[in-house]
Amino acid sequence: MNVLGIETSCDETSAAVVRDGRTVLSNVVFTQVARHRPYGGVVPEIASRCHVEEIAGIVRQAVQDAGLTWEQIDAVAATYGPGLASSLLVGLSAAKALALRLGKPLLGVNHVEAHLYSLFLGSDAPSPDSIAPLIVLMVSGGHTGLVRVAKVGSYKLLGQTLDDAAGEALDKGANLLKLGYPGGPAIEKAAAGGDPAHVKFPRGLRHGAAGELAGELDRDLCFSFSGLKTSLLYYLRDHPEVLVNGALKDVAASYQEAVFDALLARLRRAVERHRVSAVGCVGGVARNGRLREKLERMSGEYGLRLVLARPEFCTDNAAMIAALAGAPGSVVRTATDDLDVQPDLVLGVP
Ligand code: KG4
Ligand code: ZN
């Protein structure tokens, strides 16, 4: 089954064709970063207008790159949430029109679930059955959490961030450090050769309100990055010279390290509390070399198999959308004409 997938939940316009949920025939990603850079973050109005301009050409390119004709597309899938409402609407509307024109089913895909499935993309990636159950650290610009994956379609959210996502923490930190946007890659570059122990930034969750915010979730497996961001702000106020001399790389490395140590501490607790034989990491932040290195070390210590999404499938892409939609056993819903976007869509519970 060849699925054409469309992803427009944030600032990437992407279309891909994936066969049987595993074989990526094409994956075209147009990143809008340059359009949002002057504003230091994603501007929803610009994002949706940009999706409108790009979507038709990107979809055409994806089908062409796959070497298929339109008749060989068996279903059309699109992200319907979570994400920016006005951006989601562009991709979902395009998918509806295409499905109608081709006379093929329309499939609605949860963006977070697709990120989890990105672990299984690529010829060297394991199949879900061969490694489940596993715990996945999901680290993107919009989401940060720990999910136990029993099988495709069966998830348990163990913990999540109570304020900023990890990528957001890096983006905001980079902004304070005047490193530009997007912050994750900028901090990684600036931190190269820096001393991660130069500044001891906080790694924890402050006591108090956090317990209540965690709700049903295990508080020890929840994240908080707002205190870290504030401590960088205070550090820079007290050490303004950092922005003009060589210590910048040490401060960038220390900040990045604090974000990753906070992630790793919760992941360690999660594997101690929930028996699994493998761990995974997905989402834009999973592209980071230092994080990947720390995950290798940690999984080795626990004797766990480590699965990392391939870098091109970490940041937003339509291959993960088309793949999940066509995955055997996937519980992706076949959409009806009245499927609407759900900006706050949560990860499905079995
Ligand atoms: O998954 P993604 O493309 O979009 C969301 O669904 O949010 O993740 C984007 C996030 C941004 O915060 C960006 O700064 C971060 O991923 N990111 C990185 C790296 N590349 C992207 N963070 C750290 N190191 C990187 N190399
Ligand atoms: Zn994403």
Side-chain angles (χ1 to χ4, degrees):
M1 171 155 111
N2 297 319
V3 179
L4 168 64
I6 296 179
E7 157 62 36
T8 61
S9 67
C10 190
D11 61 341
E12 259 89 31
T13 316
S14 181
V17 181
V18 178
R19 181 166 291 160
D20 299 330
R22 297 271 286 166
T23 311
V24 182
L25 301 182
S26 66
N27 184 35
V28 185
V29 183
F30 172 78
T31 177
Q32 305 176 359
V33 158
R35 305 264 188 112
H36 300 284
R37 188 170 282 128
Y39 308 93
V42 177
V43 182
E45 166 95 13
I46 294 177
S48 55
R49 283 171 182 263
C50 197
H51 287 311
V52 171
E53 284 165 23
E54 301 294 335
I55 191 74
I58 300 281
V59 167
R60 204 176 294 124
Q61 187 71 47
V63 175
Q64 197 178 316
D65 287 2
L68 300 179
T69 61
W70 291 101
E71 290 69 36
Q72 289 171 301
I73 300 294
D74 300 305
V76 183
T79 307
Y80 72 105
L84 299 170
S86 53
S87 284
L88 289 164
L89 276 169
V90 179
L92 182 61
S93 303
K96 278 190 184 183
L98 262 175
L100 195 64
R101 173 67 181 81
L102 299 173
K104 297 291 159 70
L106 170 71
L107 306 169
V109 176
N110 179 318
H111 181 83
V112 174
E113 191 179 347
H115 267 300
L116 296 175
Y117 191 82
S118 68
L119 287 178
F120 312 119
L121 286 182
S123 49
D124 48 351
S127 70
D129 293 345
S130 69
I131 50 160
L134 75 162
I135 288 178
V136 183
L137 174 64
M138 154 89 202
V139 273
S140 74
H143 300 90
T144 291
L146 284 163
V147 182
R148 184 178 188 278
V149 179
K151 60 177 183 173
V152 175
S154 178
Y155 314 102
K156 185 172 168 45
L157 181 67
L158 304 175
Q160 67 182 355
T161 183
L162 304 177
D163 39 59
D164 294 344
E168 209 177 345
L170 292 169
D171 291 339
K172 289 176 177 174
N175 191 29
L176 292 172
L177 291 165
K178 310 219 181 305
L179 292 171
Y181 170 84
I187 289 203
E188 178 169 28
K189 201 163 156 226
D195 174 11
H198 185 74
V199 189
K200 196 80 189 136
F201 287 117
R203 277 133 167 90
L205 197 60
R206 274 170 297 127
H207 286 272
E212 278 164 40
L213 286 173
E216 302 280 289
L217 298 171
D218 184 342
R219 183 189 176 285
D220 293 343
L221 302 183
C222 287
F223 308 87
S224 166
F225 294 106
S226 59
L228 171 63
K229 186 187 58 195
T230 310
S231 67
L232 175 62
L233 181 74
Y234 289 156
Y235 183 85
L236 292 174
R237 187 191 60 189
D238 298 341
H239 304 81
E241 74 286 357
V242 163
L243 296 176
V244 286
N245 74 20
L248 182 63
K249 69 172 190 284
D250 297 325
V251 179
S254 301
Y255 185 81
Q256 176 180 262
E257 198 73 359
V259 172
F260 296 163
D261 279 348
L263 296 173
L264 267 287
R266 274 75 179 174
L267 180 59
R268 279 171 187 276
R269 278 183 210 140
V271 300
E272 283 162 14
R273 291 177 191 188
H274 301 267
R275 284 170 66 85
V276 284
S277 52
V279 289
C281 188
V282 300
V285 181
R287 284 184 89 116
N288 188 286
R290 177 70 178 165
L291 177 61
R292 292 172 93 92
E293 201 180 286
K294 287 173 86 80
L295 287 164
E296 298 265 0
R297 206 174 314 133
M298 179 245 143
S299 54
E301 265 173 50
Y302 284 85
L304 295 168
R305 182 161 174 201
L306 175 67
V307 201
L308 298 169
R310 291 235 309 241
E312 70 267 36
F313 302 131
C314 285
T315 33
D316 287 348
N317 66 89
M320 66 185 189
I321 306 300
L324 177 63
S330 157
V331 288
V332 160
R333 56 184 288 194
T334 303
T336 50
D337 286 350
D338 60 0
L339 177 69
D340 197 359
V341 298
Q342 287 188 36
D344 300 322
L345 185 65
V346 293
L347 194 61
V349 274

